[in-house]
Amino acid sequence: MSERITAGLPADFVWGAATASYQVEGAVHADGRGPSIWDAFCATPGAVAHGHTGETAVDQYNRYAEDVALMRELGLHRYRFSIAWPRVQPHGSGKPNARGFDYYARLIDALLAAGIEPAVTLYHWDLPLALQDSGGWPERDTAYRFAEYAELCYRAFGDRVKSWITLNEPYCSAVLGYLEGVHAPGERDRPRAYRAIHHLMLAHGLALEAFRAGGYDGEIGITLNTQTPCPATQREEDRAAADRAADLQTHMFLDPLMHGSYPERHLAAYPEVSMPIADGDMSVIAKPIDFLGLNWYWEDVAAADPDHPEGFRLCPRYQDVTEMGWPVVPRGFYRHLRRLDELTDGIPIYVTENGCAMPDELSADGTRCRDPRRVAYLRDHLEAMRDAWRDGVNLKGYFVWSFIDNFEWALGYTKRFGIVYCDYVDLRRVPKDSFYFYRDVIAGHE
Ligand code: GCO
């Protein structure tokens, strides 16, 4: 018999599950919510698979009580969800919307009544459209607006919420949104994308300062999707290539937090880029966080490529892939956790997302969803995480992505990440086998 997955993890290790507002809430016109860049992006022909939108999503806005009951059945310790900025401040500045705050108060109170702690992400990509109309993240003003919005949230919920995440994956907001154009707002402009990076990091720093200045009790951090690409071979040039392949996704975000600087060699490869740094910005960004959130799904392999501006290319690998085409590499998770521990000097880490999309189907009678590949994925990744903990990584908790199937951004409803199945015809929830597996992990039986 092999040992329990949780063997050796500390008793206060946090077991969680995560979602994000636009991916699950629906009710986009309810109670005075303003439009976000994702509403606009979804309305752009060809932007999202099959023209799907978050208009209904899984309707958590109206069905949160049912979802909280399932979380209780799961034995969940903490639910990570995000606040939709345009719900609580419809135009991104000015007057807050009380009815928007009321929704999150209902959700938070339901969680607490069920013995589940809320973990709140302040920004999971749904920028109020009014702020994009005045320039979006490439504009410095957006960072100030974010700090004001963050403060409204601390004031409303600081008494009940003890775990805050300023931003989710600013890499995706800036690079997918402003450089590659595959996420909202769909721009393709490198200089603007890098301005967005700086203003996102500044927004994080200002929101952190506001939290400290307000004397709120609880912990605050940021969630990144950092990567440690593997070198294709042990040749010196491939090792150097793998190192550089981490610059944009890891160092452009982690270095300002840890050292108050951006990686110079990366910026030097793109002379058209200039970071709009004002006096004092970098020390605001580098203010100590209480924890780092890590979203991790797969590991890249890199080899030297003299034709690339940064001298690397990503290579294929042999492992099975998920429905996203992402290779399943649990040892890569272990490697990255170790590396992150080194890069951050042992900062407390929460895995704020990990999981996979699989070709899930309901049983003929509609009562079960067998997802053995997700169970295997979770088992292998949890073991890798446990090993990283044993080898000294300062891990505080793990959140599976996702609690429930949801709107997978540009891929619409075509990818299912949940441990709860959602039938998009009648919005019925059916716990998958992985739900029962995770319940047993949390209970210490696996
Ligand atoms: C992300 C986001 C999630 C995604 C998930 C699967 O990490 O991209 O935080 O919203 O849905 O990662 O792609």
Side-chain angles (χ1 to χ4, degrees):
M1 270 280 283
S2 61
E3 62 184 337
R4 286 185 305 136
I5 292 175
T6 48
L9 288 176
D12 60 356
F13 192 81
V14 173
W15 294 105
T19 63
S21 47
Y22 192 70
Q23 297 183 274
V24 297
E25 286 178 356
V28 294
H29 305 295
D31 300 328
R33 176 186 177 279
S36 83
I37 55 174
W38 271 94
D39 298 298
F41 192 66
C42 290
T44 310
V48 175
H50 308 297
H52 289 168
T53 77
E55 194 155 343
T56 307
V58 303
D59 195 31
Q60 190 166 80
Y61 194 80
N62 295 303
R63 294 168 200 249
Y64 69 89
E66 187 183 343
D67 287 346
V68 171
L70 280 171
M71 290 174 206
R72 193 167 179 280
E73 192 181 326
L74 183 59
L76 202 69
H77 299 171
R78 214 176 270 186
Y79 177 46
R80 173 179 178 236
F81 61 93
S82 75
I83 293 182
W85 185 351
R87 253 189 222 294
V88 303
Q89 205 183 25
H91 304 292
S93 61
K95 204 172 170 301
N97 173 32
R99 286 181 299 162
F101 279 106
D102 288 347
Y103 166 65
Y104 295 106
R106 289 195 294 279
L107 172 62
I108 290 167
D109 291 343
L111 288 167
L112 292 172
I116 301 162
E117 296 168 359
V120 170
T121 307
L122 288 167
Y123 185 72
H124 202 127
W125 309 352
D126 38 6
L127 186 72
L129 188 58
L131 294 183
Q132 177 59 24
D133 291 342
S134 53
W137 286 111
E139 287 303 316
R140 189 174 176 91
D141 189 58
T142 305
Y144 295 121
R145 298 288 78 77
F146 178 77
E148 281 173 14
Y149 149 71
E151 186 141 24
L152 293 173
C153 296
Y154 305 147
R155 272 199 222 126
F157 305 123
D159 58 336
R160 287 161 283 177
V161 173
K162 302 298 168 196
S163 183
W164 296 89
I165 294 166
T166 54
L167 306 179
N168 177 73
E169 302 186 2
Y171 166 86
C172 292
S173 301
V175 176
L176 304 187
Y178 290 91
L179 177 62
E180 297 178 4
V182 295
H183 277 187
E187 294 188 22
R188 290 192 166 84
D189 182 318
R190 191 177 288 271
R192 278 178 56 80
Y194 283 64
R195 294 175 60 83
I197 291 178
H198 182 65
H199 295 137
L200 281 154
M201 297 315 288
L202 181 63
H204 155 80
L206 293 169
L208 185 87
E209 274 191 338
F211 186 80
R212 304 280 190 232
Y216 299 98
D217 128 68
E219 50 176 17
I220 185 162
I222 183 171
T223 280
L224 303 181
N225 53 331
T226 50
Q227 269 266 7
T228 304
C230 248
T233 74
Q234 291 298 350
R235 276 196 300 274
E236 191 43 47
E237 74 249 37
D238 288 340
R239 292 163 65 93
D243 194 43
R244 293 209 57 171
D247 279 358
L248 177 53
Q249 209 173 319
T250 298
H251 295 290
M252 279 298 285
F253 299 87
L254 197 59
D255 293 10
L257 293 168
M258 296 296 135
H259 314 298
S261 60
Y262 294 108
E264 278 308 324
R265 70 173 178 187
H266 174 76
L267 294 174
Y270 302 100
E272 71 274 33
V273 160
S274 113
M275 300 304 278
I277 304 170
D279 265 1
D281 283 3
M282 299 316 286
S283 63
V284 171
I285 297 172
K287 289 269 159 65
I289 44 179
D290 298 320
F291 64 87
L292 181 67
L294 167 69
N295 291 352
W296 199 90
Y297 292 90
W298 80 94
E299 180 189 60
D300 285 325
V301 172
D305 176 0
D307 295 332
H308 184 276
E310 298 170 78
F312 72 85
R313 69 187 158 85
L314 298 180
C315 315
R317 49 189 322 169
Y318 76 89
Q319 285 88 352
D320 279 348
V321 296
T322 69
E323 288 288 284
M324 297 293 282
W326 297 342
V328 178
V329 197
R331 289 321 285 176
F333 188 31
Y334 172 87
R335 281 190 282 271
H336 185 58
L337 286 167
R338 291 292 303 271
R339 175 74 178 141
L340 205 53
D341 182 63
E342 251 168 55
L343 291 172
T344 59
D345 248 328
I347 202 171
I349 294 175
Y350 284 96
V351 176
T352 42
E353 289 179 25
N354 172 244
C356 56
M358 290 294 172
D360 304 322
E361 277 174 29
L362 284 184
S363 58
D365 66 356
T367 61
R368 283 299 286 273
C369 177
R370 304 235 173 247
D371 58 343
R373 291 182 61 202
R374 179 173 294 98
V375 170
Y377 180 103
L378 294 177
R379 183 192 302 281
D380 292 347
H381 284 76
L382 289 172
E383 281 175 357
M385 178 188 72
R386 189 244 356 249
D387 291 351
W389 156 262
R390 279 192 192 156
D391 292 341
V393 181
N394 192 2
L395 282 155
K396 296 293 178 197
Y398 173 93
F399 294 72
V400 67
W401 183 272
S402 174
F403 172 69
I404 187 166
D405 292 339
N406 59 56
F407 175 77
E408 179 55 24
W409 307 112
L411 300 170
Y413 297 98
T414 63
K415 307 295 171 206
R416 294 181 176 275
F417 273 90
I419 57 171
V420 173
Y421 185 95
C422 181
D423 182 331
Y424 291 120
V425 176
D426 55 11
L427 298 174
R428 202 160 45 99
R429 278 83 163 122
V430 180
K432 301 179 191 176
D433 280 1
S434 53
F435 174 98
Y436 299 110
F437 164 76
Y438 196 45
R439 179 195 63 188
D440 288 355
V441 169
I442 298 173
H445 305 320
E446 267 297 332

